[in-house]
Amino acid sequence: IMLEEGRDENGLTFVKETNNKRLIVFVHGIMGDAKGTWMHDRTGAFWPELLIDDVAFSDADVAFFGYDTSLFSEEYSIDEIADNLRLRLQASRVPDKYNQIVFVAHSMGGLVVRAFILKYRDMINVPLVYFFATPTNGSDLANIGNQLTDQSQLRGMKRLEENLYLQSLSTSWLASPFKDSIRSYCAYEKKKTLGVIVVPRDSATALCNQRLDPVNENHIRIVKPASTGSDAYIVFKVAYEESFQRLRVVNAENKIVVTSNEIKFTDGDIPTLVADSIEFRGSEFVLPQSALIVANDIDLGNAELRGQNIAMVAATVAGGVLDVSGRDGVSGGGLLLSAGRIGGTRILARGG
């Protein structure tokens, strides 16, 4: 919930667009706007732009998403904003250019992000979401506001016990794999806005599976860091570094992009592929009978790697399928997988 009138750019706007494979997207809340939500009134600091010169975020591009929101006119519902987010991401070719999206969401923006992930779970990998004062269990202020207007966004944030939409969203989230696989951090407001805590702690921290951070600001200013030294900025930066701090298992600098089955394994008793990072682009790859893959980062994307005996050693493995179940006349084999972090990778072994 925001107490500011929406007035800035709609759609997806990039503030940093390079060849990185991870995109950070900021999503504002009701009565907020694409830029003003994240801008400090005294210093003029604009949070998405603060990330550009911070080496901690050098591996990510940055964008912000805006949509229409007004208290006394009918706008998109929360689900429809999620649909519009999908549209804008596709229009900017985000699923083609990036392997991961990290969301920073304020207030109702967090509900939009959860709805987007549940509806478009196969569109792109989302490893991390930071929720700032998101009314997961609703807000009493929304109940009061609904006595003045029947606006759909406000209606979607009434307290959980009388809100079928939030009940359904929470139930669907808890039944999905995302409740464990997506690192969900939450921050909650400590100061009152116009005399009230807009989103109480219990609502702002529901469904989160990582650290809970108090931020000594009100509901509006919780996402307006004055500088990189502000609490809001630091809690997200620490969460990002915890999630993506680069582990290394091999001293290599080369990147390999695999697009066909003509993979250049080394000769020897065990064909071996070693690189700093390996990215598989395609749907299916057949590996040698025994194969060893060693890299700091392995991105399987949507690919399925099939083999009789696969050994994979990596700091991080993301996406895809590793299949040693045996088919097409090939006997089932074995898989050795050693990784510091594994995200969204399916394993098929004997018996499926």
Side-chain angles (χ1 to χ4, degrees):
I1 298 172
M2 285 275 302
L3 303 179
E4 299 176 331
E5 183 68 26
R7 55 184 174 276
D8 276 341
E9 296 93 339
N10 287 342
L12 193 70
T13 303
F14 285 82
V15 298
K16 178 185 175 185
E17 189 173 10
T18 63
N19 293 320
N20 286 318
K21 289 299 182 181
R22 183 180 300 129
L23 177 65
I24 299 173
V25 178
F26 288 75
V27 182
H28 68 82
I30 190 172
M31 300 301 294
D33 62 65
K35 292 190 71 174
T37 291
W38 316 103
M39 187 172 292
H40 193 273
D41 53 357
R42 179 174 53 82
T43 66
F46 180 46
W47 192 353
E49 290 182 346
L50 291 177
L51 303 187
I52 296 176
D53 295 323
D54 191 331
V55 66
F57 302 102
S58 61
D59 59 354
D61 287 352
V62 184
F64 56 89
F65 170 67
Y67 54 89
D68 289 328
T69 173
S70 176
L71 192 59
F72 294 103
S73 64
E74 190 60 36
E75 307 288 359
Y76 285 149
S77 67
I78 294 172
D79 260 12
E80 288 170 334
I81 299 170
D83 293 335
N84 189 251
L85 174 57
R86 182 267 311 159
L87 173 67
R88 298 294 187 154
L89 292 172
Q90 288 183 325
S92 297
R93 299 183 56 246
V94 168
D96 298 325
K97 295 190 291 186
Y98 298 96
N99 297 328
Q100 296 179 332
I101 293 182
V102 170
F103 285 107
V104 178
H106 179 228
S107 195
M108 189 186 74
L111 304 180
V112 171
V113 168
R114 279 205 186 97
F116 166 81
I117 293 171
L118 287 169
K119 294 178 76 172
Y120 303 107
R121 63 185 67 191
D122 296 326
M123 181 175 171
I124 195 167
N125 181 29
V126 179
L128 166 66
V129 182
Y130 206 114
F131 298 93
F132 284 86
T134 290
T136 299
N137 289 344
S139 168
D140 289 330
L141 198 60
N143 286 52
I144 296 171
N146 254 190
Q147 297 178 20
L148 304 175
T149 174
D150 194 35
Q151 204 259 16
S152 61
Q153 295 170 12
L154 203 59
R155 191 167 60 245
M157 291 183 291
K158 294 170 65 176
R159 290 295 294 182
L160 183 70
E161 55 270 18
E162 53 185 286
N163 188 332
L164 293 179
Y165 176 76
L166 284 187
Q167 291 174 23
S168 175
L169 194 66
S170 295
T171 300
S172 297
W173 188 266
L174 289 171
S176 77
F178 308 127
K179 70 181 178 68
D180 298 317
S181 64
I182 295 178
R183 296 173 69 90
S184 300
Y185 291 82
C186 285
Y188 56 94
E189 64 211 62
K190 289 294 293 179
K191 293 183 178 180
K192 295 180 179 180
T193 304
L194 301 179
V196 298
I197 294 292
V198 177
V199 179
R201 185 183 189 276
D202 70 300
S203 184
T205 59
L207 300 185
C208 284
N209 58 25
Q210 300 295 319
R211 182 185 62 250
L212 309 178
D213 291 312
V215 175
N216 196 31
E217 296 287 357
N218 66 23
H219 187 76
I220 295 173
R221 300 183 68 85
I222 194 173
V223 289
K224 297 180 184 291
S227 69
T228 57
S230 299
D231 283 349
Y233 188 95
I234 292 173
V235 297
F236 173 59
K237 179 176 178 177
V238 170
Y240 189 90
E241 289 177 328
E242 286 178 350
S243 302
F244 302 115
Q245 188 174 34
R246 201 150 191 259
L247 303 175
R248 296 185 68 86
V249 297
V250 60
N251 186 20
E253 300 298 332
N254 60 316
K255 177 178 179 178
I256 297 176
V257 179
V258 181
T259 58
S260 71
N261 279 312
E262 297 180 4
I263 308 172
K264 295 182 179 180
F265 285 89
T266 60
D267 295 328
D269 294 337
I270 300 178
T272 303
L273 186 65
V274 180
D276 174 52
S277 65
I278 303 175
E279 179 182 350
F280 288 86
R281 296 180 182 174
S283 59
E284 186 176 71
F285 298 91
V286 179
L287 303 182
Q289 183 173 0
S290 294
L292 170 63
I293 301 175
V294 181
N296 294 313
D297 300 301
I298 299 177
D299 183 359
L300 301 176
N302 296 317
E304 178 180 311
L305 272 60
R306 293 170 48 202
Q308 188 168 9
N309 293 289
I310 301 174
M312 184 173 288
V313 180
T316 61
V317 178
V321 178
L322 298 174
D323 184 356
V324 292
S325 63
R327 57 177 175 168
D328 298 336
V330 178
S331 300
L335 171 67
L336 169 64
L337 177 59
S338 177
R341 298 189 184 101
I342 303 173
T345 302
R346 295 177 57 220
I347 296 172
L348 302 180
R350 287 190 182 94

